[in-house]
Amino acid sequence: KNEVEQSPQNLTAQEGEFITINCSYSVGISALHWLQQHPGGGIVSLFMLSSGKKKHGRLIATINIQEKHSSLHITASHPRDSAVYICAVEGSGGGADGLTFGKGTHLIIQP
Amino acid sequence: NAGVTQTPKFRILKIGQSMTLQCTQDMNHNYMYWYRQDPGMGLKLIYYSVGAGITDKGEVPNGYNVSRSTTEDFPLRLELAAPSQTSVYFCASSKDRELDTQYFGPGTRLTVL
């Protein structure tokens, strides 16, 4: 069973700061997902990646398959980025068993 | 497209009662999932379906049942509610199993007293 660890668990930063959230996992995967959970509870998929780097607006996600590690970066952070960011991995074993999730990083961006 | 919809949004049950959480998607996705989210914990897979008529257990299936009679609908049934089933339940869907984005419903907050 894959173990997914995120750090930090909680992060408070000032508007404009560069944010990094980390995710590590224990077993090889086919893909890694970054999700955003809004204060109202809804969950939105931000990225899905299996190698390298992806960028969408101010968000950048990277993954290092050899090190079993991924990072989510937010540039020029804004209060509307305040949310819980969740890392989830897809196993490479071939079974249709959904995602394994980290516990999330609670991010607060103060004006 | 409405995406993935769930009803109800909130529900309070008494111990031993039964209920069905509804989930519908209008994206013609083959794969559908039910997750539960407990405070301070990551989401955990309850059941999943790879297409109409096919379902299978996830990590935490005890106390739940599902059916998939159509591509669109994937209801989750609680037969004898217990306090341990107090949680937020999310339904999700994806077109393919691997390497595909999962789309989540808004969630159902269930309290069992």
Side-chain angles (χ1 to χ4, degrees), chain B residues 27-47:
Chain B
M27 297 174 283
N28 200 33
H29 284 172
N30 294 318
Y31 295 86
M32 296 187 74
Y33 310 85
W34 274 106
Y35 297 99
R36 60 177 287 173
Q37 184 179 39
D38 299 316
M41 304 295 292
L43 284 84
K44 293 187 185 301
L45 181 67
I46 305 171
Y47 270 95

Side-chain angles (χ1 to χ4, degrees), chain A residues 96-109:
Chain A
D97 53 0
L99 301 174
T100 301
F101 295 81
K103 294 180 180 180
T105 294
H106 188 191
L107 174 66
I108 298 174
I109 303 297

Side-chain angles (χ1 to χ4, degrees), chain A residues 7 10 16 18 32 38 43 45 57 65 76 85 92 111:
Chain A
S7 63
N10 298 283
F18 182 82
L32 183 142
H38 300 293
I43 299 174
S45 179
I65 296 295
Y85 292 84
S92 56

